[in-house]
Amino acid sequence: MPSRAIFEAQLRSRFGDLLDVDYPRVSEAEMERRAAAVAGMMATHGLDALIVAEAMRAGTATGWITGWPVTAEAVTVIVPGVPRRMFVQHYNHLPLARRIAWHTEVAWGEGSAIGRAAESVASATSDAAITGRATVGVIGRLPPGEAERLAGRFRVVDMNRAYAQLRMIKSDEEVRWLSLAAGLTDLAVTAFAEHARPGISERALIARVQESYLALGGTDFIHYVHSTGMDAPDVAVPRQYPSGRVLRTGDVVSCELSVDYWGWTGQILRTFFLGVEPSPLFRELHAVADAAMDAVLAQVRPGAHARDLVEASRGIEEAGFTVIDDLVHGYGGGYLPPVLGTASRPSAGIPDLTLAAGMALVVQPNVTTRDGTAGVQTGHLVLVTEEGWRALQQFPRGYQVL
């Protein structure tokens, strides 16, 4: 297993221009490409204006469009032919937002950033001599009162799905940012493997994981973990919040980790055993997971339909097992289509979607017993290429005995 020092040296060698700066930026050409994509989306849907409303460090559209990662609240207004504006909360966030935001006028949101955005849209569309109620697209999730405020003044169109479509195919520059985030996530899982030892609690283990990337500018996104004894397992999938449970010899420990770097995240899922080889049950669970991973990846190529990936997972049910987590989901700029389950744990539906080069997927067969008491996790982020796929995570596949 490569050491953290090796992974970190590789990251600095490949991505020093993004890591060794105060605030990294994508190129002017890339931002112009994104602006053109947004303009095309607006034209296709007949929008007079677009409002992007995100808050509490959630959402990807604000950062992708302006470069500003959302803090408390950011509401961006885009009207063709009019300078872009963004209203942020709180007032002390203004100086940094003005420094980072790309070609965007940044102002204080005052009592209501949505209210200020609505006034900005009304003024801009009035100046453009638009007849009748302006058609305004919205990306983000609005509180009911704010949604009513907009609906009372404009014809509002939900643009979240259209925005997700824009993010599915990555540019070459975006792939590089995604690869950096994947590398930071490799660093995180390496730290996980180095510190997962009898006597450490799940919480303390995750604290060691976070230390591995904070100094490089990475930030926390996902640190799901589960630990249980193989002799009497009681959990089958990594949990969203680490517990105070102390790891013991004979435990199985699984993780799902993602490190964020300025709006891009990697994702890796692995299973470890503490001090002893896996029991027959866990050895079988992991063998089935590995086989499912290989079978699904064999279908990943341009032109493959989402249903092909689901069909490839049938070995899980044939072995008498099931899954709790997704089998596959799109990634890179959000939780994107296709989101797929298996025959025994279907997703909301198999979309009529074919893969294309430039898509990113997380393939992650979490194979579990049907009673939900035992399971393993494996998988990672891959990029669909013209030839098929390539892994963006470099941490070795397979389980490890620590």
Side-chain angles (χ1 to χ4, degrees), residues 363-400:
V363 181
Q364 52 173 73
N366 154 238
V367 178
T368 74
T369 55
R370 288 185 176 271
D371 63 2
T373 60
V376 297
Q377 190 72 288
T378 191
H380 50 247
L381 177 64
V382 304
L383 180 73
V384 182
T385 68
E386 294 292 351
E387 295 75 29
W389 61 273
R390 66 179 173 91
L392 295 183
Q393 307 292 161
Q394 303 303 314
F395 189 86
R397 269 188 65 180
Y399 71 79
Q400 294 183 27

Side-chain angles (χ1 to χ4, degrees), residues 23-335:
Y23 299 105
R25 294 175 178 270
V26 300
S27 69
E28 191 78 7
E30 172 62 21
M31 292 305 286
E32 289 173 354
R33 184 193 70 83
R34 297 178 188 181
V38 171
M41 177 188 72
M42 292 177 65
T44 297
H45 291 269
L47 303 183
D48 299 309
L50 178 68
I51 291 176
V52 180
E54 295 175 334
M56 302 310 295
R57 303 183 188 276
T60 63
T62 303
W64 191 70
I65 291 170
T66 71
W68 169 247
V70 177
T71 50
E73 184 179 18
V75 179
T76 305
V77 176
I78 301 174
V79 179
V82 176
R84 181 187 302 167
R85 303 193 75 192
M86 181 169 65
F87 301 96
V88 303
Q89 302 287 15
H90 301 286
Y91 196 85
N92 60 312
H93 297 188
L94 285 173
L96 185 58
R98 285 171 173 157
R99 175 176 176 177
I100 290 177
W102 180 82
H103 291 198
T104 303
E105 297 178 2
V106 180
W108 180 32
E110 299 180 12
S112 169
I114 285 290
R116 292 212 64 191
E119 291 298 331
S120 181
V121 169
S123 174
T125 54
S126 174
D127 292 344
I130 292 172
T131 58
R133 300 175 78 191
T135 300
V136 178
V138 175
I139 297 172
R141 294 179 175 86
L142 297 178
E146 300 286 34
E148 291 173 4
R149 182 198 295 261
L150 291 182
R153 303 186 68 171
F154 313 111
R155 189 174 75 86
V156 176
V157 180
D158 184 344
M159 296 300 294
N160 285 288
R161 181 171 295 185
Y163 163 69
Q165 292 293 320
L166 289 187
R167 300 303 306 273
M168 290 180 68
I169 305 295
K170 279 66 177 174
S171 69
D172 290 344
E173 186 168 341
E174 288 181 322
V175 170
R176 186 164 186 260
W177 283 76
L178 192 58
S179 299
L180 169 54
L184 290 167
T185 305
D186 286 330
L187 197 64
V189 74
T190 304
F192 189 100
E194 289 179 356
H195 291 285
R197 297 291 186 273
I200 192 170
S201 71
E202 290 183 1
R203 293 171 185 158
L205 173 58
I206 292 304
R208 300 294 182 270
V209 169
Q210 292 180 349
E211 288 174 357
S212 70
Y213 52 78
L214 292 177
L216 290 170
T219 54
D220 186 47
F221 189 69
I222 284 177
H223 55 246
Y224 301 168
V225 61
H226 93 258
S227 64
T228 187
M230 281 190 286
D231 54 348
D234 61 3
V235 62
V237 65
R239 294 176 286 207
Q240 289 69 50
Y241 295 97
S243 75
R245 183 182 183 277
V246 175
L247 275 56
R248 306 177 180 93
T249 298
D251 276 355
V252 53
V253 187
S254 290
C255 64
E256 178 177 1
L257 303 175
S258 289
V259 179
D260 178 274
Y261 194 77
W262 293 90
W264 294 98
T265 55
Q267 192 162 123
I268 195 163
L269 308 98
R270 291 291 187 270
T271 297
F272 304 93
F273 298 92
L274 298 193
V276 296
E277 290 290 329
S279 67
L281 171 61
F282 281 94
R283 188 179 296 276
E284 183 182 9
L285 285 165
H286 210 288
V288 172
D290 273 336
M293 181 88 174
D294 289 336
V296 173
L297 286 174
Q299 298 299 317
V300 174
R301 60 186 180 277
H305 195 278
R307 76 173 70 89
D308 299 331
L309 308 187
V310 177
E311 285 295 322
S313 72
R314 288 199 174 272
I316 296 172
E317 280 75 24
E318 291 170 358
F321 299 127
T322 186
V323 300
I324 296 174
D325 208 342
D326 296 331
L327 174 72
V328 175
H329 64 79
Y331 209 57
Y335 184 64

